Each structure stands twice: as C-alpha cells, then as structure tokens.
C-alpha cells in the first residue's frame, strides 16, 4: 500500500497545515504498520489512515492550546494542493469536520459509505455533513444553486 502521498495531501487540505499533516500522516502510517494484520482487512486502509491522522492532529492542536493558553498558535500554513486559490480559500473557511468530508469525497474520491467508515460516523451524518459543507462552499464562492 502506497497511500502516504494521497493521504498527506488530503490531511493537508483538511487541516490547512502541511507540517501538521506530515506529522499526522507519519503517525498514522506508523500505527497502520503496527496494526497491519487487522488494518489490511479494512475495506479502505486510506480512510483508516486519514481518520487516525486527523484525530491525532486534532489532539495535538488541543494539547498545544492547553499548554500555551495566553500565546496564540502560529498562523496555519495553506496547503497548496489545490490549483484554484478561490477554492483553497473557501475550503480554508470551513471547519475541520466540513473540510474532512469535502476532501474525502472530492479529493480521495470516497463513497458515502467509505467516508462514514473513515470518519467513524453514521452514514446519514456523512451525507448531511457533505451536503451542508458543499452548500457553505457554494455560498463562500458566490455560486448559486
């Protein structure tokens, strides 16, 4: 399995921080290797690695906020994986849960079922999150439906 590149790019888009995404994918790939006997049986190893990386990064950011309550966190680094700066900017304005479903669906080309498994959420929640995220993106980009 050679999913590091696509998962890294997806995490960079979802997290809007390339350095954090690199660390997250490294951590997730290490965990996948340690648990490969069970991970290899999953329908979407990429989805599992994405979820583990996303959760690890969220925990890291939460911990950093607790450790430095008076200092602001450094400005996040924009992921340059999207050629259109308008899309990149609009995506960056979504919260991480919304970005995650958009990235999984439109960047990693996952089905609703795969998204639900990857994020460990019910299928209906995956559909709803993507629907609302896409509506918000359209609004941010001034696209009427």
């Amino acid at each position: 399995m050679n999913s590091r590149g696509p998962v890294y790019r997806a995490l960079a888009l979802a997290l809007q921080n390339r350095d954090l995404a690199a660390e997250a994918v490294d951590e997730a790939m290490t965990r996948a290797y340690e648990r490969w006997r069970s991970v290899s049986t999953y329908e979407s190893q990429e989805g599992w690695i994405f979820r583990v990386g996303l959760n690890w990064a969220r925990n890291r950011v939460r911990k950093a906020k607790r450790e430095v309550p008076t200092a602001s966190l450094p400005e996040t680094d924009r992921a340059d994986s999207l050629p259109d700066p308008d899309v990149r900017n609009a995506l960056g304005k979504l919260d991480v849960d919304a970005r995650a479903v958009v990235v999984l669906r439109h960047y990693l080309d996952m089905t609703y079922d795969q998204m639900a498994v990857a994020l460990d959420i019910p299928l209906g929640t995956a559909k709803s999150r993507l629907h609302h995220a896409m509506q918000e993106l359209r609004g941010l980009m001034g696209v009427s439906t």
Side-chain angles (χ1 to χ4, degrees), residues 39-86:
V39 172
S40 67
T41 65
Y42 298 163
E43 181 180 334
S44 175
Q45 293 95 16
E46 271 185 345
W48 185 88
I49 293 167
F50 178 87
R51 182 179 77 225
V52 169
L54 185 64
N55 289 341
W56 179 87
R58 283 177 168 164
N59 288 338
R60 177 123 187 255
V61 169
R62 271 189 229 117
K63 183 179 178 185
K65 285 180 181 178
R66 283 193 309 265
E67 289 176 353
V68 195
T70 57
S72 62
L73 292 175
E75 188 71 25
T76 58
D77 184 20
R78 292 280 185 205
D80 292 326
S81 299
L82 291 173
D84 186 336
D86 293 334

Side-chain angles (χ1 to χ4, degrees), residues 1 3-16 20-21 24-29 31-32 39 42 44-58 96-105 107-108 110 114-121 129:
M1 173 182 71
S3 299
R4 188 188 193 290
V7 173
Y8 161 73
R9 288 186 294 277
L11 282 168
L13 286 170
L15 297 168
Q16 296 289 291
L20 183 60
V25 77
D26 287 346
E27 180 66 29
M29 294 293 278
R31 291 181 187 188
V39 172
Y42 298 163
S44 175
Q45 293 95 16
E46 271 185 345
W48 185 88
I49 293 167
F50 178 87
R51 182 179 77 225
V52 169
L54 185 64
N55 289 341
W56 179 87
R58 283 177 168 164
V96 71
D97 289 333
R99 279 196 310 266
V101 293
V102 170
V103 166
L104 288 176
R105 178 68 188 114
Y107 191 80
L108 289 181
M110 289 190 177
Q114 290 170 326
M115 289 167 35
V117 170
L119 296 173
D120 196 26
I121 57 176
R129 277 189 193 171

